[in-house]
Amino acid sequence: MLNLSRVLPPVSRMIFPHAKNAFHDHAGVNQVVLRAAFPSIAFEYKDDWIDRASTGMPIYLDRVVLTSRSTIKRHKNYQPDAKMISVADHLPKSPYWWSPIRRQVLEFVKAPEETIALGGSGNPVITYISRQNSLPIGGRKLTQDGHRSLVDALLGLEARYGYEVNIVEMEKLSKAEQFKLAGRTTIMIGVHGNGLSSLLWMRPSPIATVIEIYFPPGFSADYAIPARILGIEHYGVWGDRYFRTESEHRPKQQQPDGFHRDKIPADGPTIAALCAERINHPTRLSSKM
């Protein structure tokens, strides 16, 4: 039987036997996260693997996790979302499996303990991650009317209820600022895209929510799956409609024409009303279709 309470040592190495350089990303997030979460980690690539093999001697590794994209694609849990993480989602795990990594990263960026600690409470923090000025030109963005409508509606929530509202462009923040803001965020809002990967640093709670805006009737589960794994509610928005992803209203995976363009609609009052409902009535778990 798998012992979910066992404390394991941190990862000491990652081996990419078929790659020259595998873990760097254009935004520079991977390298910060890996170095923060596993300070002593070593990386080995194709040439290192060849060197090991050339010794002709067996290599003993105490504990190994193997991943293979081609193998995962043949797994029964790969569909219907066609995401590698869909398979990991079905593995047995502690509900707190991610907490040590979250703590390591947030401590690395000097986040305060009240941000890091699980079970904390306080004034809700709503963060809208805007892509309106991001590259490429013509890429996924809200219409200007939709963006203004959303900003106005969120600022209205701040004025009415006193919630903290942040309108940010993540690429203009340092990595430390990004992680610390996400760690304090109760509700994260954004167009489908990499900015929503910041949900990894949110604190799970009954009201923690990711609201992802899609071009209707498009849907992709890239961020819905990690939100579910981390105990965060996920909602998709199509203009003035929204659906709870873990419900009968979840749409099929599809990317229609316009999905990756800059004409994504958004109705600010609808999204603001969903935020207020999640904060004030977190057990309702409703959809508006």
Side-chain angles (χ1 to χ4, degrees), residues 23-33 175 179:
F23 81 100
H24 288 79
D25 64 301
H26 74 279
V29 174
N30 285 353
Q31 39 273 50
V32 175
V33 170
K175 299 300 183 295
F179 296 168

Side-chain angles (χ1 to χ4, degrees), residues 123-124 157-164:
N123 191 37
L157 283 181
E158 184 177 50
R160 180 177 180 183
Y161 296 107
Y163 306 148
E164 178 184 338

Side-chain angles (χ1 to χ4, degrees), residues 55-273:
T55 66
M57 300 298 293
I59 301 167
Y60 174 79
L61 300 172
D62 181 57
R63 184 178 291 106
V64 179
V65 176
L66 300 174
T67 64
S68 166
R69 181 180 292 270
S70 60
T71 302
I72 284 176
K73 287 182 178 181
R74 297 193 294 271
H75 195 279
K76 63 180 181 180
N77 292 325
Y78 180 72
Q79 297 296 344
D81 296 318
K83 304 296 178 185
M84 290 182 66
I85 196 172
S86 298
V87 177
D89 184 21
H90 291 81
L91 295 175
K93 53 190 171 293
S94 162
Y96 306 107
W97 70 276
W98 184 248
S99 298
I101 297 175
R102 177 180 179 271
R103 171 170 284 277
Q104 281 283 104
V105 172
L106 291 180
E107 286 182 344
F108 178 80
V109 299
K110 301 296 189 290
E113 180 59 29
E114 56 265 29
T115 294
I116 301 173
L118 298 178
S121 60
N123 191 37
V125 178
I126 300 173
T127 299
Y128 163 38
I129 300 174
S130 171
R131 295 171 57 98
Q132 295 307 105
N133 296 313
S134 64
L135 297 174
I137 296 173
R140 285 191 303 275
K141 298 177 178 68
L142 298 181
T143 64
Q144 281 303 316
D145 287 345
H147 171 71
R148 285 192 292 268
S149 170
L150 178 54
V151 170
D152 290 345
L154 294 178
L155 293 178
L157 283 181
E158 184 177 50
R160 180 177 180 183
Y161 296 107
Y163 306 148
E164 178 184 338
V165 171
N166 301 287
I167 315 295
V168 298
E169 297 175 24
M170 284 300 201
E171 62 270 22
K172 294 183 178 179
L173 303 179
S174 69
K175 299 300 183 295
E177 290 171 330
Q178 292 178 34
F179 296 168
K180 286 190 281 189
L181 175 59
R184 296 194 302 110
T185 294
T186 312
I187 297 179
M188 183 174 290
I189 305 167
V191 169
H192 172 73
N194 287 339
L196 291 177
S197 61
S198 293
L199 71 88
L200 293 173
W201 317 118
M202 292 174 66
R203 177 169 45 211
S205 75
I207 62 175
T209 307
V210 171
I211 299 176
E212 187 168 357
I213 307 170
Y214 301 97
F215 184 86
F219 174 72
S220 180
D222 297 74
Y223 307 100
I225 298 171
R228 179 177 69 236
I229 294 174
L230 298 177
I232 299 169
E233 283 291 338
H234 181 277
Y235 283 77
V237 172
W238 293 336
D240 61 355
R241 296 176 293 160
Y242 60 82
F243 53 88
R244 179 175 176 253
T245 306
E246 295 302 306
S247 74
E248 70 276 13
H249 298 291
R250 174 191 171 117
K252 294 181 179 179
Q253 184 109 341
Q254 57 181 320
Q255 297 185 2
D257 290 343
F259 188 84
H260 296 292
R261 305 300 294 171
D262 58 357
K263 301 298 182 185
I264 300 173
D267 182 70
T270 296
I271 296 173

